Amino acid sequence: MNPLFIFLLPIALVSAQDLRVGFYNSSCPQAEPIVKAVVQKHFGTDPSIAAGLLRLYFHDCFVRGCDASILIDSTEKARSERFAGTNRSLRGLDIIDEAKSNLEARCPSTVSCADIIALATRDAVVLAGGLGYDVPTGRRDGLRSEVKDVRGIPGPMDTIPQAIQDFARKGLTVKDMVVLLGAHSIGVTHCGGFRTRLLRSPSTGKFFGPTMDTSLRAKLQQACGNSSIQLENEPTVSFDQNTPMAIDNRFYSELLHSRGVLEFDQMLALDNSTKGIVEHLASDNDGFLKKFADAMVKLGNVEVLVGSEGEIRKKCNVFNMPS
Ligand code: HEM
Ligand SMILES: *[C@@H]1O[C@H](CO)[C@@H](O)[C@H](O)[C@H]1NC(C)=O
Ligand SMILES: *[C@@H]1O[C@H](CO)[C@@H](O)[C@H](O)[C@H]1NC(C)=O
Ligand SMILES: *[C@@H]1O[C@H](CO)[C@@H](O)[C@H](O)[C@H]1NC(C)=O
Ligand SMILES: *[C@@H]1O[C@H](CO)[C@@H](O)[C@H](O)[C@H]1NC(C)=O
């Protein structure tokens, strides 16, 4: 056998092909309805949890794949992924924990926390006005969660080419990236994520960064004031000033009018490699919603554990056998 072939074979065997829609059909037929009920309950009292779950899914999948490593508690000995700066304001972990405990009561040690994140995120997308989609399941939970593994999650000051590389490393295209950024059609950012854009350069007297619509800047200045860059109690503002609770393509039209809040988001409408995609998405909401659903499934395939890899956690915030 060609040595190259031998090398490639194991990789092919653990591909996302092993995820299947309805993986729990016989082992836990109530799995998906149980997750959905918990998400619906929380959304009923706080619709902003949809944004929290979306971001949690992204941050889980971008570090060691979609393996629920983001849910692990830090201990004295081991600082988990959630200790990283990018964990800032992650929300929705309690929803995953609640779904897990309901599932353990019905079908113990069967449904992975990684699948719960993927299913709960889909349910949140639907509640926030996105299109429904089938979630392939069968993920296993990871055995490692280390703060030092957290890299490659783009930050608000990253350049578009840097982010394109981060996504490419996860097998995601430029198009996937721009479509997934449609997640910023809901949710909020702290003022620290864009504060430099409210400041003038002492040398040129111009505002830092790409052009921002004057009325948006006035609004952001009022919301953020001069509060120093403090993690706690820092004000937040919606990414999408018009339809902040709905997943829709309005976010992209805003970018075309210099009304993006994060510098990164605004650059999507300016960079040559992404602006055509932004224009296209801005012109077709149905097309955007369909592409968003497809891209969410693709994000959920990133570096998943399947078969007998990893474990099925009993509690999502701790490994079954803490080391
Ligand atoms: C390249 C890319 C990205 C950058 C630079 C970025 C950056 C950010 C920043 C700075 C925040 C605000 C955090 C805070 O201050 O609390 C945020 C929030 C958020 N991000 Fe992203 N993000 C990116 C990609 C994504 C992707 C791919 C998704 C999901 C598919 C996503 C979903 C969200 C959501 C829903 C929120 C709001 C969270 C909430 O309201 O609690 N982001 N992002
Ligand atoms: C589970 O059931 C659904 C709906 O009946 C079906 O579409 C899917 O293929 C089934 N999946 C498995 C793995 O049996
Ligand atoms: C994020 O990390 C900080 C420590 O850096 C910790 O205090 C906080 O609880 C973490 N947040 C979450 C949601 O785990
Ligand atoms: C905010 O900063 C501006 C300019 O630096 C200053 O004139 C103003 O008094 C400050 N406002 C507050 C509330 O600190
Ligand atoms: C983008 O394209 C325009 C026109 O095609 C060109 O003038 C400009 O230099 C390009 N910008 C970058 C950053 O490549």
Side-chain angles (χ1 to χ4, degrees):
M1 208 192 237
N2 181 328
L4 184 63
F5 207 89
I6 294 170
F7 174 71
L8 288 175
L9 205 56
I11 295 173
L13 289 176
V14 295
S15 79
Q17 302 307 316
D18 292 307
L19 299 183
R20 299 199 308 274
V21 172
F23 183 84
Y24 300 110
N25 278 3
S26 49
S27 60
C28 188
Q30 290 305 300
E32 299 201 19
I34 287 173
V35 173
K36 187 171 166 187
V38 173
V39 175
Q40 269 173 335
K41 186 188 88 177
H42 284 267
F43 184 88
T45 52
D46 178 10
S48 84
I49 59 110
L53 288 170
L54 256 164
R55 183 156 184 251
L56 188 65
Y57 179 62
F58 170 53
H59 282 232
D60 183 36
C61 293
F62 257 54
V63 183
R64 301 186 66 78
C66 314
D67 67 344
S69 53
I70 190 77
L71 302 178
I72 294 293
D73 287 338
S74 278
T75 62
E76 286 285 296
K77 241 168 47 180
R79 293 172 166 196
S80 66
E81 285 176 24
R82 270 164 47 200
F83 205 79
T86 40
N87 88 357
R88 182 125 172 254
S89 57
L90 280 177
R91 303 189 285 150
L93 292 86
D94 54 322
I95 298 172
I96 306 300
D97 287 342
E98 184 176 332
K100 179 61 177 177
S101 85
N102 293 356
L103 283 164
E104 285 301 293
R106 188 71 71 94
C107 355
S109 297
T110 304
V111 182
S112 69
C113 298
D115 278 342
I116 298 173
I117 297 177
L119 292 167
T121 302
R122 184 269 314 273
D123 297 332
V125 165
V126 173
L127 289 166
L131 213 57
Y133 53 91
D134 289 332
V135 179
T137 41
R139 293 170 191 79
R140 308 266 302 175
D141 297 324
L143 299 171
R144 179 183 162 102
S145 177
E146 297 278 340
V147 71
K148 60 174 177 284
D149 293 341
V150 181
R151 61 183 104 83
I153 294 182
M157 312 300 175
D158 276 29
T159 66
I160 302 291
Q162 279 168 345
I164 289 175
Q165 273 191 20
D166 288 334
F167 277 70
R169 264 186 232 110
K170 305 294 172 192
L172 299 168
T173 65
V174 181
K175 237 186 203 169
D176 294 331
M177 182 182 96
V178 180
V179 169
L180 285 170
L181 257 301
H184 288 181
S185 76
I186 58 175
V188 297
T189 172
H190 288 80
C191 292
F194 56 87
R195 185 174 305 278
T196 54
R197 302 190 69 198
L198 305 180
L199 304 174
R200 289 178 194 273
S201 154
S203 52
T204 66
K206 290 187 177 160
F207 286 104
F208 287 111
T211 304
M212 185 189 286
D213 171 75
T214 326
S215 65
L216 175 64
R217 183 179 282 115
K219 197 169 166 186
L220 298 180
Q221 268 161 343
Q222 187 163 35
C224 298
N226 294 0
S227 55
S228 59
I229 304 172
Q230 298 251 323
L231 294 186
E232 304 308 322
N233 306 321
E234 194 189 24
T236 58
V237 301
S238 299
F239 285 123
D240 180 340
Q241 303 288 312
N242 291 286
T243 54
M245 299 305 260
I247 294 179
D248 59 18
N249 71 339
R250 186 70 189 258
F251 168 71
Y252 298 103
S253 340
E254 292 291 294
L255 298 184
L256 295 175
H257 292 96
S258 302
R259 291 173 56 82
V261 175
L262 295 184
E263 174 160 346
F264 179 86
D265 290 353
Q266 187 56 59
M267 289 309 295
L268 291 171
L270 299 171
D271 190 281
N272 285 347
S273 55
T274 51
K275 75 176 180 200
I277 306 169
V278 169
E279 284 160 7
H280 186 78
L281 294 168
S283 70
D284 177 8
N285 192 45
D286 291 344
F288 160 66
L289 292 176
K290 175 75 179 80
K291 291 191 178 85
F292 186 71
D294 291 345
M296 288 292 285
V297 172
K298 199 169 167 187
L299 175 58
N301 290 339
V302 170
E303 295 162 10
V304 292
L305 302 174
V306 294
S308 58
E309 299 172 301
E311 64 181 5
I312 303 294
R313 275 181 222 150
K314 294 188 201 314
K315 289 181 76 183
C316 290
N317 60 333
V318 286
F319 302 117
N320 289 346
M321 293 223 288
S323 52

